[in-house]
Amino acid sequence: MSAPARVLVVDDSPTMRGLISAVLSSDPDVNVIGQAGDALEAREAIKKLNPDVVTLDIEMPNMNGLEFLEKIMRLRPMPVIMVSTMTHRGAEATLAALEIGAFDCVGKPAPGEPRPFGDLAEKVKAAARTQRQFVQPPAVPVPPVSVADFRVGRKIVAIGSSTGGVEALIAVLQKFPANCPPTVITQHMPPAFTKSFADRLNRLCAPVVEEAKDGARLEIGKIYLAPGGERHLQVANASAPCCRLVERDPVNGHRPSVDVLFDSVAEFAGRNAVGVILTGMGRDGAAGLLKMRHAGARTLGQNEKTCVVYGMPRVAYELGAVEQQLPLNAIGEEILKMTAARKEGTE
């Protein structure tokens, strides 16, 4: 049995430090080795204790969490899980942190929440196990494919991702031209963050990116991100595909669930679809991707070397759901090849 994950908890609130530490300490495979109230204390604690993982508050005195994260990633790269308020400002800062190289994020609980930080221990253990090299991504984005180089066919694209998905989706979608195939995405993240993430993707990418709305028709040049919260994103209507937001219990512990999205795409799009499963913990999306492949869709999975967590793509690959495994930087181009119109007509 592997040693417990050694964690340093960094937050300016003693109450929050105590709550996070208590939640993590309740898991026998996690060991809270120290606490720090600001970046200066955290810097000394990291030098002294050499933790496997750091939980880091976004808003702190002296130096905020984002500034401190940049220093960590530049001087001593390691897994960091951001702890953020569930506000627009907190979401924007957290998304920036995930782009810098944070492993994952969790939201601070609302008063009276029954299971505060419910999945934090699992995220900490996954972070401690990862073999990923935590390095700062390039500051200059890759330019999108020219519209002149791409003629879209009739296929739609469905993408599922979780831990590490913010960076992965940016890498994939920045390869898309403005006339990209209609694309639907389920990314696991706190409900308050998905609108900010869609807005961020819209600024960074050539196509239009927006939170999916119930009944929105899938159009060329648009990307639809499942909103977090109480509903799953599905695709409906084979003759005129559109988004459906459906109230159902969580699937695989998630709402929205990648499996729910992929199942609907298998049913209503069949061979006129491409399914893509990216980095993430657990197995959500694997069974749905297999249904897509059985229905005639093309399917792609991110390879182990470029995943933050090789969980969802691994299960999908082992089930036989993945037609091709590719490094992250090749997935965007491959999607375009699979969805491009043929010279004789369209697919």
Side-chain angles (χ1 to χ4, degrees), residues 22-310:
V23 168
L24 292 177
S25 297
S26 67
D27 190 310
D29 294 322
V30 178
N31 180 17
V32 178
I33 59 172
Q35 300 182 13
D38 59 27
L40 299 178
E41 290 182 12
R43 184 179 62 184
E44 295 306 312
I46 289 172
K47 291 178 182 178
K48 180 180 178 182
L49 301 173
N50 191 30
D52 300 320
V53 183
V54 171
T55 70
L56 180 59
D57 184 19
I58 287 280
E59 297 177 1
M60 297 188 300
N62 301 323
M63 181 187 299
N64 68 38
L66 206 57
E67 294 170 332
F68 186 49
L69 177 68
E70 289 174 341
K71 291 183 180 295
I72 291 175
M73 292 300 154
R74 187 173 69 251
L75 302 174
R76 194 189 185 285
M78 63 187 304
V80 176
I81 296 175
M82 307 305 295
V83 179
S84 172
T85 55
M86 304 293 278
T87 63
H88 177 76
R89 179 182 173 185
E92 287 288 317
T94 302
L95 292 170
L98 293 169
E99 288 181 49
I100 291 169
F103 179 83
D104 209 335
C105 67
V106 295
K108 289 187 176 181
E113 190 168 321
R115 290 185 68 247
F117 299 113
D119 59 353
L120 179 56
E122 292 302 318
K123 291 185 177 185
V124 163
K125 289 185 287 186
R129 288 192 300 265
T130 186
Q131 299 300 308
R132 179 188 183 219
Q133 296 297 311
F134 286 84
V135 295
Q136 192 165 359
V140 180
V142 178
V145 177
S146 167
V147 172
D149 297 333
F150 180 74
R151 291 175 57 243
V152 67
R154 295 177 179 171
K155 290 184 175 177
I156 67 172
V157 177
I159 303 175
S161 52
S162 187
T163 304
V166 168
E167 289 176 90
L169 286 168
I170 290 171
V172 170
L173 299 180
Q174 282 189 328
K175 301 291 182 69
F176 280 22
N179 64 332
C180 73
T183 301
V184 285
I185 300 171
T186 290
Q187 156 72 33
H188 300 154
M189 61 172 35
F193 291 5
T194 49
K195 176 64 166 62
S196 293
F197 186 38
D199 291 344
R200 197 170 189 85
L201 288 173
N202 192 51
R203 293 193 296 269
L204 293 171
C205 305
V208 173
V209 185
E210 59 189 27
E211 259 196 326
K213 295 180 176 61
D214 189 53
R217 186 166 178 173
L218 301 191
E219 299 178 2
I220 291 171
K222 285 194 174 182
I223 298 169
Y224 307 84
L225 179 70
E230 300 303 315
R231 296 186 288 179
H232 297 279
L233 173 62
Q234 293 181 325
V235 169
N237 194 342
S239 60
C242 65
C243 295
R244 281 283 179 257
L245 298 178
V246 181
E247 293 184 3
R248 281 177 53 187
D249 290 339
V251 174
N252 300 317
H254 297 285
R255 186 170 54 203
S257 160
V258 181
D259 266 332
V260 172
L261 175 62
F262 285 175
D263 286 353
S264 69
V265 175
E267 179 180 356
F268 289 102
R271 63 186 298 274
N272 291 318
V274 173
V276 184
I277 194 160
L278 302 176
T279 174
M281 290 166 47
R283 60 185 304 117
D284 190 30
L289 193 69
L290 183 62
K291 288 183 181 179
M292 286 186 64
R293 191 172 188 189
H294 285 165
R298 309 293 300 274
T299 61
L300 300 172
Q302 188 175 348
N303 70 359
E304 181 175 6
K305 186 175 181 180
T306 61
C307 280
V308 172
V309 179
Y310 186 57

